[in-house]
Amino acid sequence: MSDKPNPINETDDEARALARSLVDTTRYAALAVNEGDTGFPLVSRVAVSYGSDTGLFFCASDLSTHSQCLATDPRCSLLLGEPGKGDGLAHPRVTLVGSVDRIENSDPQRQSMRDIFLERHPKANLYVDFADFAFYRLLVDRALLNGGFGKAFHLDATDLEFLREWTKFG
Amino acid sequence: MSDKPNPINETDDEARALARSLVDTTRYAALAVNEGDTGFPLVSRVAVSYGSDTGLFFCASDLSTHSQCLATDPRCSLLLGEPGKGDGLAHPRVTLVGSVDRIENSDPQRQSMRDIFLERHPKANLYVDFADFAFYRLLVDRALLNGGFGKAFHLDATDLEFLREWTKFG
């Protein structure tokens, strides 16, 4: 690819703030996982939340295909940011790349995650305590930020400081 | 997983019609690809279109990470269907799983795809003819349909007849 122009901009404070804003506000994300037995990458929708004490996490049922894939291979990525109105590719979005950590019911942070999750997703009250549902925290490795045409950035764990100890190599 | 209940419903005409409706109307999809050198599944946003003579396709730049991943491994999946208002997990969405076929500029179908694409994405007129942009047709293997809670279905190539010859094993 060395004969092609490099479309990646140098990461600056504005890019870091945009990534943080997307994590702070997004309610639904597209989750990509590895389907181990076929090698296909599978994408599905999950409800996400973020708290400064909990990191970025989502809720999923053990019966879902994505949970079953993650049980075999915890590597994944999450796309945050909605297409919005007009040209959907002009709206910012960020791909957070990393691995998930399944939060057991006995985990002392589970209650805090539950509170934060229900604040952003009140209707999840219907299922969040079902035995087959669990929270999955993202341990972030890096991010690909796209702020619109010509506004692509690569963010590393240092740029994602607001995710603190939940960076994969933090 | 044999000790767990099976959450997949039997595929019926209503499920097939819902999948078709999502393909017919969706403007933006989340695309999952394999990042060959790391093994991570990456998800990003693409603009999609569908025509009965062209199948389902999207437009992407050779400079993008997803195009570079697809050049190495054409396996992917596309999530169609927006979260919408209220509870985003109550809105239908479908994951189409397959491989992509990159459409060369010399391909006789390219003009037809361009027309269909610009009808759904008028603003793509700005970039669709750039030298580094190309259309990618999805050769569909199967689909995972989620019509909302308790409404999960697995669709095979036969259920996706409206994608006709663009099923992977069709």
Side-chain angles (χ1 to χ4, degrees):
Chain A
M1 304 287 173
S2 57
D3 57 334
K4 289 179 180 160
N6 178 5
I8 308 300
N9 297 281
E10 191 173 340
T11 300
D12 55 15
D13 284 346
E14 193 178 346
R16 292 181 196 100
L18 179 56
R20 169 148 200 174
S21 161
L22 288 165
V23 171
D24 271 340
T25 58
T26 298
R27 299 181 70 231
Y28 299 99
L31 168 71
V33 299
N34 285 321
E35 187 179 47
D37 52 343
T38 69
F40 278 91
L42 294 187
V43 55
S44 55
R45 176 162 300 133
V46 290
V48 298
S49 276
Y50 166 76
S52 59
D53 292 333
T54 62
L56 177 67
F57 61 98
F58 59 87
C59 185
S61 164
D62 293 341
L63 303 176
S64 68
T65 302
H66 45 234
S67 289
Q68 292 172 15
C69 290
L70 289 170
T72 304
D73 183 346
R75 292 176 298 179
C76 68
S77 62
L78 284 164
L79 175 67
L80 276 65
E82 291 301 325
K85 291 185 180 175
D87 183 351
L89 297 184
H91 290 263
R93 62 272 188 194
V94 65
T95 300
L96 294 157
V97 186
S99 298
V100 289
D101 190 15
R102 189 179 191 279
I103 307 299
E104 301 303 328
N105 279 345
S106 58
D107 191 296
Q109 276 214 324
R110 204 239 167 213
Q111 183 63 42
S112 171
M113 295 173 99
R114 183 183 184 278
D115 293 344
I116 289 169
F117 193 77
L118 289 178
E119 193 172 337
R120 201 176 291 194
H121 303 281
K123 292 195 177 168
N125 196 37
L126 289 169
Y127 60 82
V128 71
D129 294 321
F130 284 179
D132 62 297
F133 275 80
F135 292 122
Y136 290 81
R137 173 186 287 142
L138 185 68
L139 306 174
V140 180
D141 175 17
R142 59 196 154 99
L144 312 173
L145 174 70
N146 192 324
F149 289 106
K151 295 179 188 168
F153 301 88
H154 286 175
L155 279 67
D156 63 18
T158 311
D159 296 313
L160 302 164
E161 186 272 340
F162 64 98
L163 291 170
R164 298 198 315 170
E165 64 258 49
W166 306 289
T167 52
K168 195 178 170 196
F169 304 110
Chain B
M1 305 285 171
S2 58
D3 56 335
K4 290 179 180 161
N6 178 6
I8 308 300
N9 296 283
E10 192 172 339
T11 300
D12 55 16
D13 284 345
E14 193 178 346
R16 292 181 197 100
L18 179 56
R20 169 151 200 171
S21 162
L22 288 165
V23 171
D24 272 340
T25 58
T26 299
R27 300 180 70 231
Y28 299 100
L31 168 70
V33 299
N34 285 321
E35 188 179 46
D37 52 342
T38 68
F40 277 91
L42 294 187
V43 55
S44 55
R45 177 161 299 131
V46 290
V48 298
S49 276
Y50 167 76
S52 59
D53 292 333
T54 61
L56 177 67
F57 61 98
F58 59 87
C59 186
S61 164
D62 293 340
L63 303 177
S64 68
T65 303
H66 45 235
S67 289
Q68 291 171 16
C69 290
L70 289 170
T72 303
D73 184 346
R75 292 177 298 180
C76 67
S77 61
L78 284 164
L79 175 67
L80 277 64
E82 292 300 327
K85 291 185 179 174
D87 184 350
L89 298 183
H91 290 263
R93 64 270 188 195
V94 64
T95 300
L96 294 158
V97 186
S99 299
V100 289
D101 191 15
R102 188 180 191 277
I103 306 300
E104 302 301 328
N105 279 345
S106 59
D107 192 297
Q109 276 214 325
R110 203 239 168 213
Q111 183 63 44
S112 171
M113 294 172 99
R114 183 181 183 279
D115 294 344
I116 290 168
F117 193 77
L118 288 178
E119 194 171 336
R120 201 175 290 194
H121 302 282
K123 292 195 177 167
N125 196 39
L126 290 169
Y127 61 81
V128 72
D129 294 322
F130 283 179
D132 62 296
F133 274 79
F135 292 123
Y136 290 81
R137 174 186 287 141
L138 184 68
L139 305 175
V140 180
D141 174 18
R142 59 198 152 98
L144 312 174
L145 174 70
N146 192 323
F149 289 105
K151 296 180 187 167
F153 301 88
H154 286 174
L155 279 67
D156 63 19
T158 311
D159 296 313
L160 302 164
E161 186 272 339
F162 64 98
L163 291 169
R164 296 198 318 168
E165 64 258 47
W166 306 289
T167 51
K168 195 178 172 197
F169 305 108

